[in-house]
Amino acid sequence: MSIEKLKLESNQELQQMITDNMSMVEKDLTLICNNVPINDRTTLDVLCHDGNGQLVIAQLSVNEDDLMLLYGIQSLDYVNKFKSFLKATYNKHKIDDKENPRLILIAPSFSDALRLAVESIKGIRIDLYEWEYLKLGDHKGLRLQPIFGWKQSEKLQMYEEKQAEKKREPKQKKKEQEPEPMPEPEPLTTEPEPQEEVLAFPPPSSEEPKEEEKTYTPKKEEPPKRKLKLF
């Protein structure tokens, strides 16, 4: 019994198969919503979150299409702007609005130009999955195979950068809190005050002053005065 490859005609058919079983893409993926119009040309195909609460956008195509990368980045930017609103709206889901969302592209094949473009994009996690719709007897099923994943070295590098930033943050805060030292005031130069002239007196003599000798001179006795008698 041979395996037959079938073709899907519409994105809606592919989308229905994936949303019915999100675990075929990744384990612990939980569907939030799908078919969300972003602008006149772009529609967010599938929005979900992983076991850590990180938002995941899945952009789908039934043909090899380089434009799906552009549509996926537009959807990624849209979700990143409104992730806090999405967390409040879909409060039953465990959404981590502190983490940046990531992108998954699902198509039957990818051009070399798109693969090179994805490899050159830094700071955004983008995974590529090729799909096959197979028929074996009376059974049909969708098969997904990852052909490009985020390099482990890039994950480790971003983790180390985040850890380094966390270590630098408290040091920067401490530096901000420490007041700048005040400049030392320049010493004041004062002119010497004019000194008053002090007259120099001769030092007192150590000899005690001699008492003046007093000489006693007896008083001369005056002769008694005679009284005149009147007749």
Side-chain angles (χ1 to χ4, degrees), residues 147-165:
I147 56 131
F148 179 84
W150 220 32
K151 295 180 181 178
Q152 193 67 24
S153 59
E154 292 182 3
K155 293 181 182 180
L156 181 61
Q157 183 180 358
M158 288 197 69
Y159 175 78
E160 290 176 351
E161 289 177 357
K162 286 183 179 180
Q163 294 298 321
E165 288 178 1

Side-chain angles (χ1 to χ4, degrees), residues 179-185:
E180 295 182 358
M182 296 292 292
E184 295 182 359

Side-chain angles (χ1 to χ4, degrees), residues 32-220:
I32 299 175
C33 59
N34 59 333
N35 277 332
V36 180
I38 303 300
N39 51 44
D40 295 339
R41 296 183 179 181
T42 306
T43 300
L44 192 159
D45 292 332
V46 180
L47 177 63
C48 52
H49 67 80
D50 59 17
N52 297 322
Q54 186 179 15
L55 291 167
V56 181
I57 295 99
Q59 206 69 25
L60 315 177
S61 179
V62 294
N63 300 305
E64 183 179 301
D65 185 8
D66 290 348
L67 287 177
M68 70 180 306
L69 176 60
L70 175 62
Y71 300 149
I73 291 175
Q74 289 178 347
S75 299
L76 198 70
D77 181 65
Y78 177 85
V79 171
N80 192 42
K81 288 180 180 178
F82 296 100
K83 56 187 177 182
S84 298
F85 175 77
L86 292 170
K87 180 179 180 179
T89 303
Y90 300 97
N91 52 16
K92 293 182 180 180
H93 294 269
K94 296 180 180 179
I95 298 174
D96 185 2
D97 59 345
K98 295 180 181 179
E99 285 288 336
N100 292 327
R102 56 189 178 93
L103 178 62
I104 296 176
L105 302 181
I106 302 175
S109 60
F110 298 98
S111 67
D112 293 337
L114 188 143
R115 295 189 188 195
L116 290 173
V118 171
E119 289 180 1
S120 63
I121 295 174
K122 304 297 181 182
I124 302 175
R125 178 177 174 178
I126 303 176
D127 297 314
L128 305 182
Y129 284 80
E130 287 185 348
W131 63 262
E132 290 180 318
Y133 189 42
L134 305 176
K135 180 181 179 182
L136 179 61
D138 296 334
H139 300 282
K140 298 178 183 179
L142 189 69
R143 176 177 176 267
L144 295 179
Q145 182 179 1
I147 56 131
F148 179 84
W150 220 32
K151 295 180 181 178
Q152 193 67 24
S153 59
E154 292 182 3
K155 293 181 182 180
L156 181 61
Q157 183 180 358
M158 288 197 69
Y159 175 78
E160 290 176 351
E161 289 177 357
K162 286 183 179 180
Q163 294 298 321
E165 288 178 1
K166 288 180 181 179
K167 290 180 180 179
R168 286 195 297 266
E169 282 178 359
K171 292 182 180 179
Q172 291 176 355
K173 289 181 180 179
K174 287 182 180 179
K175 289 182 180 179
E176 291 176 359
Q177 291 176 359
E178 291 179 359
E180 295 182 358
M182 296 292 292
E184 295 182 359
E186 297 181 358
L188 298 175
T189 56
T190 57
E191 297 181 357
E193 296 181 358
Q195 297 181 354
E196 296 181 357
E197 295 183 359
V198 180
L199 298 176
F201 291 95
S205 61
S206 59
E207 297 180 357
E208 294 181 358
K210 295 181 179 180
E211 294 183 358
E212 295 181 358
E213 295 180 356
K214 295 181 180 181
T215 56
Y216 178 74
T217 55
K219 293 182 180 181
K220 294 181 178 182

